[in-house]
Amino acid sequence: MIVVASSNGRIGIAAATQILRQGGTAVDAVEAGIRLVEANPEDHTVGFNGYPNILGEVELDASMMNGRTLESGAVGALTGYVHAITVARQVMEKLPHVLLVGDGASRFAAEMGHPPQPEMLLPETRTVWADRLRPDMNDADIEAIASRTDLARWVELATDPERAKGTVNFIAQDKAGNICTGVSTSGWAWKYPGRLGDSPIIGAGNYADNRYGAAACTGMGEMAIRASTAHSLVFYMKMGLNLADACERAMVDLRDLDGRFISVMNLVAIDKDGNHAGYSSVDGRSYIYQTPTCPSAKNCPARWCPFRRAGAKQDNNEWEKLTNGRW
Ligand code: ASP
């Protein structure tokens, strides 16, 4: 039994572990852990008080995958509700669908009895959003931003791929050996309205299969979508690679992406035996895990696999050193 999470999952990992300790399921553990992160106003990358899109609206993405059945549920660009992970779980359990977005997702949340949260931002976070548009826009421009027809231009100016990111990942394996993964995020801050990242895309930011293991991502979702990262990682284990090699291979796939938008990616993963790993394109990153016998979460360094910067030449020597020249 184990719970593995991205480091911002610290606020929820004890609750998730307690569920496993009491014989609860991986699905319940993941949902409980992520709900605490979604409710935390200090975390500007997930749930309530997460950084908004370019219009100042918080749009949430989340998904859950049950590794026993491969059932999945996800919501994208959900507005007006805090607990995107619970809505995602309900999509998985109550609908014949996998992914609901936008108004349909909000409508379903209401139907499931979620309390609406019309104001998802605290005033100071709204100020951070508005300040990012200044000095190019004045107060009147900011007030009228929803009526603009040149948002694409402003998105390029306002989004900062190095800063405005974050997501929470949880992976749990319960007493019965069942694995569940959950991912929840407010996405790329100042994003174009309706933009979905990897978090609600099964196979990109989230994948679980009891027979092999599970993976989840944080970082630039567009990259994980393009490389089908979470599924690839689990697929590499299915093809016989061990956990470390599967993670490395998934990072190589990301490294090999080319084009203008190359940024950061972090992975957490487990194999079917509950061994865990974290990988990052940024040096010094870590993730956390807890087992029922641990009184508190333990920090683990993520293995560093740098990507080339957009337009820069890949430092192959660095990679050879890191991966013993295998890829
Ligand atoms: N993966 C998330 C997204 O692209 C954001 C992040 O984790 O930084 O929406």
Side-chain angles (χ1 to χ4, degrees):
M1 283 187 281
I2 190 162
V3 182
V4 180
S6 50
S7 51
N8 60 339
R10 189 169 289 277
I11 197 167
I13 199 167
T17 310
Q18 180 62 3
I19 288 174
L20 297 187
R21 209 177 268 129
Q22 292 170 337
T25 65
V27 171
D28 284 344
V30 164
E31 182 188 3
I34 291 184
R35 281 179 67 94
L36 289 166
V37 185
E38 290 175 335
N40 176 17
E42 318 265 285
D43 190 326
H44 296 300
T45 67
V46 181
F48 179 70
N49 207 30
Y51 284 136
N53 66 15
I54 189 82
L55 302 179
E57 291 168 354
V58 179
E59 290 184 330
L60 302 181
D61 297 342
S63 65
M64 180 179 270
M65 185 156 187
N66 180 337
R68 185 176 66 80
T69 58
L70 307 196
E71 289 171 303
S72 327
V75 287
L78 171 73
T79 54
Y81 294 89
V82 174
H83 292 299
I85 194 65
T86 301
V87 188
R89 177 179 179 171
Q90 288 165 329
V91 171
M92 174 172 86
E93 292 179 343
K94 307 221 185 280
L95 286 177
H97 304 315
V98 167
L99 174 60
L100 288 184
V101 300
D103 290 347
S106 301
R107 182 188 182 110
F108 177 66
E111 213 170 303
M112 291 294 105
H114 289 251
Q117 180 71 45
E119 186 43 88
M120 287 284 287
L121 285 181
L122 294 175
E124 52 274 25
T125 311
R126 187 163 289 289
T127 305
V128 175
W129 161 73
D131 284 349
R132 190 91 181 119
L133 303 172
R134 294 189 182 98
D136 304 285
M137 284 193 198
N138 58 32
D139 285 351
D141 288 339
I142 293 171
E143 189 70 22
I145 190 168
S147 60
R148 297 190 80 99
T149 54
D150 63 347
L151 278 186
R153 187 177 138 244
W154 292 97
V155 166
E156 281 224 8
L157 290 179
T159 49
D160 175 353
E162 298 307 320
R163 236 168 35 105
K165 288 231 181 75
T167 296
V168 67
N169 296 157
F170 265 75
I171 304 177
Q173 186 176 41
D174 62 27
K175 202 158 79 193
N178 292 320
I179 299 174
C180 176
T181 40
V183 177
S184 183
T185 187
S186 48
W188 193 347
W190 293 267
K191 61 194 172 187
Y192 200 96
R195 175 265 185 189
L196 302 184
D198 57 328
S199 307
I201 309 297
I202 296 299
N206 182 351
Y207 202 78
D209 184 331
N210 275 4
R211 296 168 297 178
Y212 313 109
C217 306
T218 67
M220 190 175 198
E222 283 74 1
M223 292 178 70
I225 294 173
R226 289 162 66 198
S228 303
T229 299
H231 178 264
S232 294
L233 199 161
V234 174
F235 181 76
Y236 290 136
M237 292 195 277
K238 181 176 181 173
M239 292 292 106
L241 266 58
N242 64 31
L243 176 66
D245 286 353
C247 289
E248 267 181 22
R249 196 66 193 78
M251 291 300 278
V252 170
D253 292 346
L254 290 159
R255 177 204 69 181
D256 288 347
L257 295 174
D258 207 347
R260 275 196 306 148
F261 297 107
I262 302 301
S263 178
V264 168
M265 187 57 59
N266 314 287
L267 312 172
V268 288
I270 67 169
D271 65 16
K272 65 176 183 351
D273 301 317
N275 298 305
H276 52 90
Y279 277 67
S280 177
S281 64
V282 179
D283 195 13
R285 289 282 167 98
S286 58
Y287 67 101
I288 54 174
Y289 74 94
Q290 191 169 358
T291 60
T293 52
C294 303
S296 61
K298 294 203 164 122
N299 219 47
C300 249
R303 183 107 201 269
W304 177 45
C305 293
F307 299 150
R308 74 182 128 210
R309 311 306 310 151
K313 209 163 158 287
Q314 176 62 40
D315 180 353
N316 286 322
N317 291 337
E318 192 60 41
W319 266 88
E320 296 228 339
K321 251 191 295 167
L322 286 164
T323 64
N324 298 325
R326 276 177 300 163
W327 317 113

